[in-house]
Amino acid sequence: MLAELGARLRPAATQPVTAARRALQAQATRRRQLVEIRKQEVTRLHQTTDKQARADITSLIAVLDRRIAKAEAQMAALVEADPEIKTIGRRLQTAPGVGPIVAATLIAEMPELGQIDRRRIAALAGLAPIARDSGKRAGTRSIGGGRLVVRTILYLAALQASRRFVVFRTFRERLSSTGKSTKVALIATARKLLVTLNAMLATATDYDPAAT
């Protein structure tokens, strides 16, 4: 069945991931793991009043902070060492809400950025609304699937962009004014940011507020 599907649809060949991107992906994954462990330890710190336990947890959090900083430094070094990735990273960071970690994560986890159209890039990130209609019933649209890592990092980037930059703040506030929940408005903002980043790489241009 898979062979028949390929013969009929003739999908484009998947481009191999470069060694530089694989190394960056490994460091980005390790950073996420360390951040998750740190979150768990912070939760445990808040759940105990025992002095010895708190001291041990606090010590471990300090170690994790250093490990996270080390992973971030390695990510920055990998981006800096590869001319193509360096150019992409610099361009991505001209957009609101996109710092070094967001840019490096997108480079590592979404090599298709700038290579496909806005609908497919949104679907890959799991930010495209999925219709759940049946007959004459129009179901609620919701997101799902896609790459959770990319969706999460874009959600956080959209939160920062909508707080600090007028274009994205206005977009989010307009959605909220129509009755959209905070989460729905932020997801739509994340999708808008992703589409903007995709267009920037596709056209090899830095962020332009007038184009969003």
Side-chain angles (χ1 to χ4, degrees), residues 82-166:
D82 186 277
E84 180 186 7
I85 291 178
K86 181 179 179 180
T87 299
I88 294 172
R90 184 206 63 77
R91 176 154 289 134
L92 290 174
Q93 290 181 66
T94 64
V98 180
I101 298 303
V102 174
T105 301
L106 291 174
I107 292 169
E109 302 290 349
M110 186 158 275
E112 300 90 349
L113 199 60
Q115 305 298 317
I116 58 180
D117 63 55
R118 56 187 294 164
R119 290 182 177 82
R120 285 192 291 166
I121 203 70
L124 274 180
L127 288 171
I130 300 173
R132 303 186 187 279
D133 301 336
S134 178
K136 295 182 179 180
R137 182 184 66 83
T140 302
R141 267 56 174 171
S142 62
I143 62 170
R147 298 174 189 174
L148 178 59
V149 170
V150 173
R151 185 163 67 251
T152 300
I153 202 77
L154 283 169
Y155 187 92
L156 296 174
L159 180 61
Q160 292 300 315
S162 63
R163 284 176 174 174
R164 300 173 56 192
F165 297 88
V166 63

Side-chain angles (χ1 to χ4, degrees), residues 37-75:
I37 296 171
R38 187 187 187 282
K39 285 169 58 180
Q40 294 171 357
E41 290 301 311
V42 169
T43 298
R44 295 183 181 109
L45 183 64
H46 292 158
Q47 291 174 340
T48 183
T49 57
D50 182 82
K51 289 184 178 180
Q52 288 186 333
R54 288 181 64 83
D56 184 71
I57 294 170
T58 301
S59 176
L60 180 54
I61 289 173
V63 171
L64 290 168
D65 284 340
R66 292 194 293 271
R67 294 289 182 86
I68 291 168
K70 180 180 179 181
E72 291 178 349
Q74 290 176 327
M75 289 171 69

Side-chain angles (χ1 to χ4, degrees), residues 17-26 78-79 81-82 85 107-108:
V17 178
T18 65
R21 284 184 187 258
R22 285 198 301 270
L24 185 59
Q25 187 177 48
L78 286 167
V79 171
D82 186 277
I85 291 178
I107 292 169

